[in-house]
Amino acid sequence: MSIISTGPIENNPVAGVRPTQVVTVRLVSRAAVEAISVVIQGYVLNGTRTVYVSETVNLAPNESLLRNYYADLNGFEFVFNTGETDDQLLGISVWGKQNTGELTTAHRIVTHEHIFAEPEGI
């Protein structure tokens, strides 16, 4: 069982506007046969840690799923519970976006960036 967290993300206003208004979560299943279930929890960080997103998503083998969540908050955190899934079979990325759809570079979080290579001599 894996519990993966973005950690606390500060999103204080700059010139009156927060850098991120929407969080996009992308889940990618690399499983060939089995379905994958992931619990997504989002927390508002405002002196306390309050759940504002709680969703269970199911991915079919080789499926990609996209979710958008409100994030016009001073601070937030996302936590993903992957259950019994092998970490190599699931990719998770979190992207901060402005209302216009532009990415917020400072709020890009990718859990797995692996390059798989075959062993030499094969």
Side-chain angles (χ1 to χ4, degrees), residues 30-74:
R30 297 183 188 102
V33 178
E34 67 272 6
I36 296 175
S37 181
V38 179
V39 176
I40 302 171
Q41 292 181 306
Y43 295 89
V44 176
L45 306 177
N46 57 359
T48 62
R49 190 171 181 253
T50 307
V51 174
Y52 81 104
V53 171
S54 185
E55 180 178 15
T56 300
V57 295
N58 296 301
L59 288 94
N62 295 310
E63 181 180 16
S64 175
L65 187 67
L66 190 72
R67 290 286 193 264
N68 290 305
Y69 302 106
Y70 178 83
D72 199 359
L73 308 160
N74 283 337

Side-chain angles (χ1 to χ4, degrees), residues 2 6-8 11 18-19 23 25 30-31 47 66 68 77 85 87 89 99 104 108 117 119:
S2 289
T6 62
N11 193 34
R18 289 186 184 88
V23 166
V25 173
R30 297 183 188 102
L66 190 72
N68 290 305
E77 175 183 15
T85 302
D87 289 345
L89 299 179
N99 279 336
T104 304
R108 173 191 173 270

